Amino acid sequence: MARSTAVKLLWFGTRMVRTGLLRPLHTGCSSTEPRTGFKPERVAVVTKTTRYEFEQQRYRYAGLCEEDLKQLLAMKGSSYSGLLERHNIHTNNVEHILESLQREGIKVRVVKRGEYNEEVVRWADAIISAGGDGTMLLVASKVLNKDKPVVGVNTDPERSEGHLCLPVRYTHAFPEALDKLSRGEFRWLWRQRIRLHLEGTGINPTPVDLHEQQLSLEQHHQAHRITTLDQQHRTGSLHGSYSKPCLLPVRSLNEIFIGESLSSRASYYEISVDDGPWEKQKSSGLSICTGTGSKAWSYNINKLADQSVEEVLKIAASQAGVKFPLSREFIERVTEEYNESLVFSPEERRLFYSVREPISNRVFSSSRQRGFANKVSVRSRCWDACMVVDGGTSFEFNDGAIATVSTSEEDQLRTVLLEN
């Protein structure tokens, strides 16, 4: 495919390309080993919004020309040429993906993050996330069919970790990745995901998308107020009426976070783990993650530093009246073993919850600050709280709302493992 055609695909959003012969998608595998090659007919490529594009969109309505944008970015300490260079790297890598797919005779549909919706998911046999981990999380959140594969490609490896993407070498050698997929030289990785049921008073199951919106706190409030009023208008229900449990239309690949919108305000809620007794808690919020998410925010919430481990071991040695070999190597081994215990397999059907900075006094307690669970229920006692899915989708979660967090076999995400 010519380079100019790929550029047209990138900039004209949902335009479809049809070339060559079409092949059926194999979907009947229940293990991690593919029985045959993976050859989809239709592939949707979802591309990230680069920082350069974001800044252009941000100031578009102010009528700024490119020279004005350069000066404004310079005043903020940002490099226009640097942003443009990263944008071009991403764009070139997206073109490489498109050309590789079309040479294999695959129908391709390219959409920007803001254009990605359920209709695109229904159309595609497989979806490629062209960006970083954030784009992959957005793509996964709308895929509710566990038989629909999602493949992440890191389009800017120098600036993005891409933990959820294919190994970096395939960014520039995507035809090799397609060849391995077609020959069955890969493994399926079925990542467990979180499903959310919401019930109670004052709930609004309509999400606010944070991926494309850099919202201030007041803008975030306003977005939720608009969706709440719209929900009441459509249903004719009062805000204070009790709603039965409803399954929210997103799935979480990494984690959900529950807490007050203003980070300096303590979050007040009640929590029940695996249908156990309810416990009143105040904290800086609650995180509940999957095995995939155990390497992300949850890990950084709970990990210990060498310094903390060393200080605790010194106190333990003093209190016990024994001597520990407090060498640097010993401290590093203990720290590493503890931190590794926080990580578990993406395929495990269990959750890991973390209470951030719990407040403990005669009124509020935190019997366990972290732990594994099959189900976690949370009743909000907050004034202005949200439940945020994978850092990108926000739901109101104020006083009277109850969330039930769990996993289900049918919610697994079908992803690909390729050797480096």
Side-chain angles (χ1 to χ4, degrees):
M1 174 186 171
R3 187 180 183 87
S4 59
T5 307
V7 173
K8 287 183 180 179
L9 279 169
L10 181 62
W11 288 104
F12 288 99
T14 57
R15 179 171 297 175
M16 189 187 304
V17 178
R18 301 170 182 269
T19 58
L21 298 175
L22 307 179
R23 301 184 178 99
L25 170 69
H26 171 72
T27 60
C29 183
S30 59
S31 71
T32 56
E33 292 287 355
R35 292 175 185 165
T36 64
F38 168 46
K39 299 177 181 178
E41 286 185 8
R42 300 182 300 273
V43 171
V45 178
V46 183
T47 68
K48 74 174 183 180
T49 299
T50 65
R51 172 77 186 282
Y52 172 78
E53 290 173 311
F54 170 74
E55 294 292 352
Q56 278 193 323
Q57 295 167 7
R58 189 179 184 185
Y59 298 107
R60 177 185 301 160
Y61 298 108
L64 294 183
C65 65
E66 286 292 298
E67 192 59 38
D68 293 332
L69 181 59
K70 287 182 185 180
Q71 295 179 11
L72 184 61
L73 289 172
M75 291 173 60
K76 297 195 300 180
S78 297
S79 168
Y80 173 88
S81 60
L83 296 184
L84 183 59
E85 179 186 6
R86 306 321 303 180
H87 170 77
N88 290 335
I89 288 172
H90 162 76
T91 301
N92 290 336
N93 286 329
V94 170
E95 291 176 16
H96 176 61
I97 294 169
L98 301 180
E99 292 168 356
S100 303
L101 290 168
Q102 292 175 68
R103 279 197 298 268
E104 295 297 319
I106 297 171
K107 296 178 186 176
V108 182
R109 186 171 174 180
V110 185
V111 296
K112 301 296 289 183
R113 288 173 57 138
E115 303 164 328
Y116 178 59
N117 55 31
E118 289 75 12
E119 188 276 326
V120 174
V121 175
R122 286 193 299 270
W123 175 85
D125 295 322
I127 303 175
I128 291 177
S129 163
D133 287 339
T135 308
M136 181 69 172
L137 292 172
L138 167 70
V139 169
S141 69
K142 291 181 168 60
V143 178
L144 304 185
N145 180 353
K146 73 173 186 178
D147 290 325
K148 185 158 296 189
V150 176
V151 179
V153 181
N154 189 346
T155 54
D156 191 1
E158 292 181 10
R159 297 296 179 90
S160 175
E161 176 65 26
H163 173 70
L164 301 176
C165 301
L166 295 179
V168 169
R169 64 182 297 268
Y170 295 112
T171 298
H172 305 293
F174 197 66
E176 183 181 343
L178 290 178
D179 187 50
K180 288 186 175 182
L181 291 173
S182 67
R183 296 201 307 263
E185 296 177 4
F186 68 97
R187 292 176 62 86
W188 293 119
L189 176 60
W190 300 88
R191 296 181 182 269
Q192 297 292 338
R193 294 190 290 175
I194 292 172
R195 60 167 44 194
L196 297 160
H197 285 88
L198 197 58
E199 63 181 298
T201 59
I203 72 167
N204 176 11
T206 306
V208 169
D209 185 7
L210 306 180
H211 282 286
E212 289 295 320
Q213 305 179 59
Q214 299 294 320
L215 301 178
S216 68
L217 184 60
E218 178 54 35
Q219 289 170 327
H220 186 249
H221 293 165
Q222 182 65 18
H224 273 300
R225 283 196 291 269
I226 290 171
T227 60
T228 297
L229 291 172
D230 181 62
Q231 172 77 6
Q232 293 174 1
H233 177 73
R234 285 186 287 105
T235 63
S237 62
L238 297 175
H239 190 67
S241 61
Y242 191 92
S243 301
K244 295 180 179 179
C246 66
L247 179 62
L248 296 182
V250 295
R251 301 293 181 268
S252 171
L253 181 57
N254 264 3
E255 78 280 308
I256 65 121
F257 177 76
I258 294 173
E260 287 279 0
S261 299
L262 187 62
S263 60
S264 60
R265 181 185 295 155
S267 302
Y268 176 23
Y269 55 87
E270 298 173 37
I271 182 173
S272 168
V273 177
D274 290 331
D275 295 319
W278 289 90
E279 181 177 84
K280 292 182 179 180
Q281 291 186 349
K282 270 192 175 182
S283 72
S284 296
L286 177 68
S287 165
I288 305 170
C289 78
T290 63
T292 298
S294 67
K295 289 185 176 181
W297 189 14
S298 173
Y299 180 81
N300 289 288
I301 290 173
N302 294 289
K303 72 177 181 180
L304 293 179
D306 291 345
Q307 180 183 356
S308 299
V309 172
E310 181 178 10
E311 292 171 357
V312 169
L313 288 176
K314 285 180 179 179
I315 294 171
S318 174
Q319 291 292 321
V322 298
K323 290 186 177 181
F324 287 107
L326 295 180
S327 65
R328 177 53 51 195
E329 294 76 16
F330 176 75
I331 292 168
E332 289 177 352
R333 286 202 308 271
V334 173
T335 304
E336 182 179 5
E337 184 169 341
Y338 173 80
N339 290 340
E340 285 180 353
S341 72
L342 302 171
V343 178
F344 58 108
S345 169
E347 296 177 295
E348 286 190 51
R349 273 196 61 190
R350 58 175 177 165
L351 307 168
F352 187 78
Y353 66 91
S354 307
V355 181
R356 296 179 67 209
E357 300 160 343
I359 298 173
S360 297
N361 52 35
R362 64 182 182 83
V363 178
F364 299 99
S365 62
S366 178
S367 57
R368 293 201 67 189
Q369 189 170 340
R370 68 186 68 84
F372 289 98
N374 294 314
K375 183 173 78 170
V376 178
S377 299
V378 184
R379 179 185 288 118
S380 176
R381 297 301 183 202
C382 298
W383 290 103
D384 180 28
C386 290
M387 180 167 58
V388 181
V389 178
D390 287 337
T393 304
S394 174
F395 295 88
E396 273 189 299
F397 193 65
N398 293 323
D399 191 22
I402 301 172
T404 301
V405 184
S406 61
T407 62
S408 173
E409 199 72 23
E410 64 188 73
D411 293 333
Q412 296 176 102
L413 184 70
R414 191 181 196 183
T415 62
V416 167
L417 278 183
L418 278 180
E419 295 298 328
N420 201 344

